[in-house]
Amino acid sequence: MHVRLSDFNTRLQSAATLDQQMDCAWMLAAGLGFDAVVYDYSPVPVSHDGALITPSLLALRNAPEDWHTLWCRKGYYQIDPVQQLAVNSVSPFVWSYQPKAETVLRTMIKDLHTPVVRYLNEFHMTCGVTVPIHICPEGGFATLTGICSDSSNATLEDARQSLAEFGLLAHAFQEVAYPMFDEAMHSCTAIKLTRRERECLRWSADGLTAKEIAQHLNRSVATVTLHLNSAMQKLGAKNRVQAVVRAVHYRLLDS
């Protein structure tokens, strides 16, 4: 197992870009029996009310062309049962959308998951392995998923046998891919605050009043209040304290 991890690291580190690393991860996953690979990264995985946030990065290999649009723009990511399981898991798991398959999905599929279930069945992508990656201390969250196009019992068993090695591949990929991320990918994109709104919230987090913030920024109290109120509205906050708490949750005040 140690030799296999070293091999994964060596081959992934030879790739110069994130796209090349993803290509390499796909080839390595294919060697384990998987036909497609999906990787996603979120600096903040869930909203303040617990809903999944669309990831900042979704990379696909050998997946249908409209996957990215459906998951990132049409809300499929939020109703993807595999992602719902992954965000609350720390261990890799095998899944299958076949009704009689003994996997973690068997008892949790509900009507709300129907669009995702129908789509994956249409493309015969109903079996796979997902590795949750909770990134500490940064606080981000990622998953690497390997998908099989054959949903037979034998394929499901093969996926189980590959679970440990695919888990090693996922963590090796995350280790080399993370330094390649753009700066913007480390902040949540679900809520967009202006530079001045963030600045005012940072001062507010330090306990300053609007008047004191105005003195620091050499602006009028009315202008500072406008920025703070705008930030509160975007964050759905009832007051400035709640706005600061939610801004911290979404990593919008990170330097």
Side-chain angles (χ1 to χ4, degrees), residues 9-40:
N9 284 329
T10 300
R11 295 184 63 179
L12 288 165
Q13 288 170 0
S14 67
T17 67
L18 187 57
D19 277 343
Q20 291 174 357
Q21 288 168 352
M22 191 67 190
D23 289 338
C24 186
W26 178 31
M27 288 187 290
L28 291 169
L32 297 176
F34 297 97
D35 302 302
V37 171
V38 179
Y39 173 77
D40 64 83

Side-chain angles (χ1 to χ4, degrees), residues 15-202:
T17 67
L18 187 57
D19 277 343
Q20 291 174 357
Q21 288 168 352
M22 191 67 190
D23 289 338
C24 186
W26 178 31
M27 288 187 290
L28 291 169
L32 297 176
F34 297 97
D35 302 302
V37 171
V38 179
Y39 173 77
D40 64 83
Y41 166 77
S42 302
V44 182
V46 296
S47 65
H48 60 272
D49 55 4
L52 288 174
I53 296 176
T54 300
S56 299
L57 172 65
L58 178 62
L60 309 157
R61 291 298 183 271
N62 204 33
E65 292 182 0
D66 59 348
W67 185 304
H68 193 281
T69 297
L70 291 172
W71 260 253
C72 292
R73 299 182 185 177
K74 301 297 184 180
Y76 277 40
Y77 186 83
Q78 282 68 33
I79 59 170
D80 185 336
V82 168
Q83 291 298 334
Q84 291 174 347
L85 280 169
V87 76
N88 294 307
S89 303
V90 295
S91 300
F93 57 90
V94 177
W95 50 266
S96 173
Y97 285 97
Q98 295 302 306
K100 296 182 179 181
E102 294 289 343
T103 72
V104 289
L105 291 187
R106 185 173 183 182
T107 60
M108 73 164 292
I109 299 297
K110 309 296 182 185
D111 288 345
L112 68 92
H113 302 125
T114 298
V116 171
V117 175
R118 184 185 298 121
Y119 180 88
L120 293 176
N121 273 284
E122 178 183 350
F123 287 98
H124 307 287
M125 305 179 78
T126 57
C127 170
V129 169
T130 294
V131 182
I133 305 170
H134 297 270
I135 306 164
C136 297
E138 292 86 357
F141 174 73
T143 66
L144 186 72
T145 294
I147 302 176
C148 303
S149 57
D150 181 0
S151 57
S152 67
N153 289 335
T155 301
L156 183 59
E157 185 57 33
D158 287 343
R160 288 195 173 99
Q161 295 298 320
S162 300
L163 185 62
E165 285 186 295
F166 190 80
L168 289 175
L169 170 59
H171 286 279
F173 174 78
Q174 181 64 36
E175 183 177 351
V176 298
Y178 190 75
M180 296 281 186
F181 290 175
D182 294 335
E183 179 93 14
M185 289 172 57
H186 295 294
S187 294
C188 181
T189 57
I191 297 173
K192 299 185 184 298
L193 300 182
T194 66
R195 180 181 62 83
R196 190 63 80 184
E197 288 166 355
R198 295 188 188 205
E199 193 172 19
C200 288
L201 281 176
R202 287 193 189 98

Side-chain angles (χ1 to χ4, degrees), residues 48 191 193 197-209 213 227-254:
H48 60 272
I191 297 173
L193 300 182
E197 288 166 355
R198 295 188 188 205
E199 193 172 19
C200 288
L201 281 176
R202 287 193 189 98
W203 286 116
S204 187
D206 286 340
L208 273 65
T209 64
I213 296 172
H227 290 312
L228 289 171
N229 288 344
S230 176
M232 286 168 50
Q233 184 177 20
K234 291 178 181 179
L235 290 161
K238 297 178 180 178
N239 51 51
R240 292 176 189 173
V241 172
Q242 190 177 53
V244 168
V245 170
R246 290 187 178 179
V248 170
H249 171 82
Y250 291 113
R251 297 179 65 179
L252 298 175
L253 305 188
D254 291 1

